[in-house]
C-alpha cells in the first residue's frame, strides 16, 4: 500500500515560521575559513550558515551578498562552539563534535566527515560542549562543557587521549597559553584552572570570586570568558572583567564594566570584550575604556577577529549574539554592516 503524500506547508505559513525563527535566533559561535574569505556562524537551532566575507566586503556588494551562501542542519540542538583547522570546520553541540570539509561546505548538500563523542561517565549523559580549543602543534582538540571535564582528542586518529577533572560545575570557556603547552579553563564554579598538558595535571587555580575587588555576588561566581597573552590573563562573567598576572596570581586591573561579559580577547595593545548590551568594548590595559562601538544585537556572545594573512582584504572583526545578525566591523571604530541568517 502506497503512503499518502504529505501535505505541503503553505508558502505564507512557512514564511511566518521562518520570520519567527529569525526573531528568536541566537548565534552562539563563529569561525573563519582557512583562506579567510568565508565565515561560519552557528545558531540555537543547530544550523550553520556560511557567509562570503569577500563578496560582502566588495565594492559591488548587494543586499544578497550579506545573506548566507549556504545554510545546513549540523546538530539537533544549538551549535555552541566552532573552530577551523587548515582543512576542516569543527562544530560542537550536545554531547558530540562533528567535522566538515571546508572544500565541500561551499557546495550544497554538504555531509559531515565524522562525528565523535567523548567518553562520558554514563550512556545517558549528553552534556553540551561549550568550548573547543585547537592545539595545532600537538594536533589536539580540547573540549570543555557540561560534564565538568576537559577532554583531549587526537585529530589524526580521532581517539580521546585523556580527561582532566577538577571543575565542580560545567565549563564555559577555554584558552591556550601558547608559549607552553598549557590550557586555561573557566567554569560555573567560579574558578580558572591552569592545566599542564605534558603531565595532564592541574598546576594552578584562581578562584576569582574570592578576590574582593573582582567579586560581584549579585551576578554570581561563574566565569564566562577568558583569554591569555604570555603571563597575562583576562577573564570575566559574574565577577568583574579583570586582568591577571598569572605567575603571581594577582589581579592587576579591574575594568569598570557592570554588565557581565561573555567574550574577551587581546588585540594589539587593547582588550576587546562583549556581553550584555549592544556594544563591543575596547579597553586600555590600564583599565581605561577607549571606546564602545554599538552593534545591532541586544547582547553579544562571540567575537571573531579575521587575521588570516591569505586574505588581508577580509581583515574584519565580527560580533554575534542574541539576534539573527552578525555585525561586521571593518575597523574598530564603527559597524560597517551586518550579515543576516
Amino acid at each position: 500500500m502506497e503512503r499518502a503524500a504529505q501535505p505541503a506547508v503553505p508558502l505564507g505559513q512557512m514564511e511566518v515560521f521562518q520570520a519567527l525563527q529569525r526573531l528568536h535566533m541566537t548565534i552562539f559561535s563563529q569561525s573563519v575559513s582557512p583562506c579567510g574569505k568565508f565565515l561560519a556562524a552557528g545558531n540555537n537551532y543547530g544550523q550553520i550558515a556560511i557567509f562570503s566575507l569577500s563578496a560582502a566586503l566588495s565594492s559591488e556588494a548587494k543586499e544578497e551578498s550579506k545573506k548566507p551562501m549556504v545554510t545546513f542542519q549540523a546538530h539537533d540542538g544549538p551549535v555552541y562552539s566552532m573552530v577551523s583547522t587548515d582543512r576542516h570546520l569543527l562544530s560542537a553541540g550536545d554531547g558530540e563534535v562533528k567535522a566538515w570539509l571546508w572544500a565541500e561546505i561551499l557546495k550544497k548538500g554538504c555531509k559531515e566527515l565524522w562525528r565523535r563523542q567523548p567518553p562520558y561517565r554514563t550512556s545517558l549523559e549528553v552534556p553540551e560542549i561549550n568550548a573547543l580549543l585547537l592545539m595545532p602543534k600537538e594536533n589536539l582538540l580540547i573540549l570543555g562543557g557540561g560534564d565538568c571535564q576537559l577532554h583531549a582528542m587526537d585529530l589524526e586518529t580521532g581517539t580521546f587521549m585523556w580527561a582532566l577533572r577538577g571543575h565542580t560545575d560545567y565549563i564555559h570557556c577555554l584558552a591556550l597559553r601558547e608559549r607552553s603547552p598549557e590550557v586555561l579553563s573557566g567554569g560555573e564554579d567560579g574558578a580558572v584552572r591552569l592545566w599542564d598538558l605534558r603531565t595532564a595535571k592541574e598546576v594552578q587555580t584562581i578562584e576569582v570570586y574570592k578576590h574582593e575587588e573582582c567579586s560581584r555576588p549579585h551576578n554570581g561566581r561563574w566565569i564566562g570568558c577568558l583569554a591569555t597573552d604570555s603571563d597575562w590573563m583576562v577573564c570575566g562573567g559574574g565577577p568583574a572583567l579583570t586582568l591577571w598576572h598569572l605567575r603571581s596570581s594577582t589581579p592587576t586591573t579591574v575594568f569598570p564594566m557592570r554588565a557581565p561579559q561573555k567574550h574577551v580577547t587581546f588585540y594589539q595593545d587593547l582588550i576587546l570584550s562583549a556581553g550584555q548590551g549592544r556594544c563591543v568594548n575596547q579597553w586600555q590595559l590600564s583599565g581605561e575604556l577607549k571606546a564602545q562601538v554599538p552593534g545591532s544585537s541586544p547582547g553579544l556572545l562571540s567575537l571573531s577577529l579575521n587575521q588570516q594573512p591569505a586574505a588581508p582584504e577580509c581583515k574584519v572583526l565580527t560580533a554575534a549574539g542574541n539576534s539573527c545578525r552578525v555585525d561586521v566591523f571593518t575597523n574598530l571604530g564603527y559597524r560597517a554592516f551586518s550579515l543576516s541568517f
Side-chain angles (χ1 to χ4, degrees):
M1 184 175 175
E2 288 186 19
R3 292 178 63 188
Q6 294 293 317
V9 178
L11 187 60
Q13 202 172 315
M14 178 61 75
E15 287 173 349
V16 169
F17 172 75
Q18 289 173 342
L20 284 171
Q21 206 178 40
R22 283 195 296 272
L23 187 65
H24 297 285
M25 189 176 291
T26 297
I27 299 174
F28 282 106
S29 53
Q30 305 178 65
S31 185
V32 175
S33 66
C35 68
K37 295 183 178 180
F38 304 98
L39 177 73
N43 70 17
N44 54 322
Y45 303 119
Q47 299 166 332
I48 294 177
I50 307 296
F51 298 94
S52 171
L53 289 174
S54 53
L57 290 161
S58 163
S59 58
E60 299 170 5
K62 299 172 183 172
E63 277 309 302
E64 203 59 30
S65 310
K66 295 162 190 172
K67 299 281 185 186
M69 298 172 60
V70 64
T71 303
F72 59 94
Q73 193 69 38
H75 295 266
D76 293 332
V79 185
Y80 291 113
S81 184
M82 292 192 293
V83 292
S84 289
T85 69
D86 56 358
R87 293 179 62 227
H88 302 120
L89 173 67
L90 307 177
S91 63
D94 287 323
E96 64 184 3
V97 60
K98 295 184 180 183
W100 317 83
L101 270 174
W102 267 110
E104 298 295 321
I105 283 176
L106 303 176
K107 303 172 187 174
K108 293 196 174 178
C110 171
K111 293 181 180 177
E112 69 190 55
L113 192 63
W114 51 255
R115 68 172 71 188
R116 297 285 186 274
Q117 184 171 357
Y120 296 123
R121 282 169 281 202
T122 71
S123 58
L124 299 174
E125 195 174 20
V126 189
E128 72 277 12
I129 299 171
N130 291 323
L132 298 176
L133 179 67
L134 277 175
M135 300 193 66
K137 290 179 185 174
E138 293 80 9
N139 205 25
L140 290 179
L141 178 69
I142 311 295
L143 299 77
D147 70 339
C148 315
Q149 302 179 76
L150 274 74
H151 297 274
M153 190 184 95
D154 184 320
L155 282 170
E156 190 171 337
T157 63
T159 56
F160 284 92
M161 318 270 290
W162 34 255
L164 300 177
R165 298 175 180 89
H167 283 281
T168 58
D169 210 333
Y170 54 86
I171 296 165
H172 284 296
C173 47
L174 300 170
L176 176 63
R177 198 173 177 195
E178 292 191 15
R179 289 189 183 178
S180 51
E182 293 176 342
V183 169
L184 287 87
S185 56
E188 191 72 12
D189 58 6
V192 173
R193 302 180 189 273
L194 182 64
W195 310 86
D196 188 333
L197 300 190
R198 292 164 295 197
T199 59
K201 289 185 179 176
E202 183 179 343
V203 292
Q204 189 177 356
T205 305
I206 299 174
E207 292 179 299
V208 178
Y209 65 95
K210 289 186 177 179
H211 292 256
E212 190 178 347
E213 59 267 57
C214 311
S215 177
R216 297 189 299 189
H218 59 285
N219 285 337
R221 60 172 64 175
W222 54 278
I223 300 299
C225 60
L226 61 86
T228 59
D229 186 357
S230 187
D231 287 334
W232 299 92
M233 170 190 78
V234 61
C235 68
L241 188 70
T242 307
L243 181 66
W244 293 75
H245 185 248
L246 283 172
R247 286 192 185 181
S248 60
S249 299
T250 306
T252 61
T253 306
V254 178
F255 299 96
M257 170 59 63
R258 289 186 179 181
Q261 299 298 279
K262 304 289 184 70
H263 196 113
V264 67
T265 187
F266 286 93
Y267 177 66
Q268 296 176 354
D269 58 347
L270 297 173
I271 288 171
L272 308 180
S273 76
Q276 287 183 9
R278 295 181 176 276
C279 293
V280 176
N281 308 298
Q282 301 173 29
W283 303 96
Q284 306 277 12
L285 299 181
S286 61
E288 181 187 342
L289 182 60
K290 183 182 178 185
Q292 285 187 303
V293 185
S296 62
S297 298
L300 295 171
L301 297 172
S302 76
L303 300 175
S304 176
L305 278 163
N306 182 5
Q307 301 187 80
Q308 291 286 2
E313 73 282 6
C314 296
K315 186 177 179 181
V316 292
L317 169 72
T318 51
N322 301 118
S323 80
C324 62
R325 293 177 294 278
V326 180
D327 292 331
V328 179
F329 301 82
T330 49
N331 67 45
L332 294 184
Y334 70 99
R335 177 177 67 93
F337 57 87
S338 297
L339 306 169
S340 182
F341 257 86

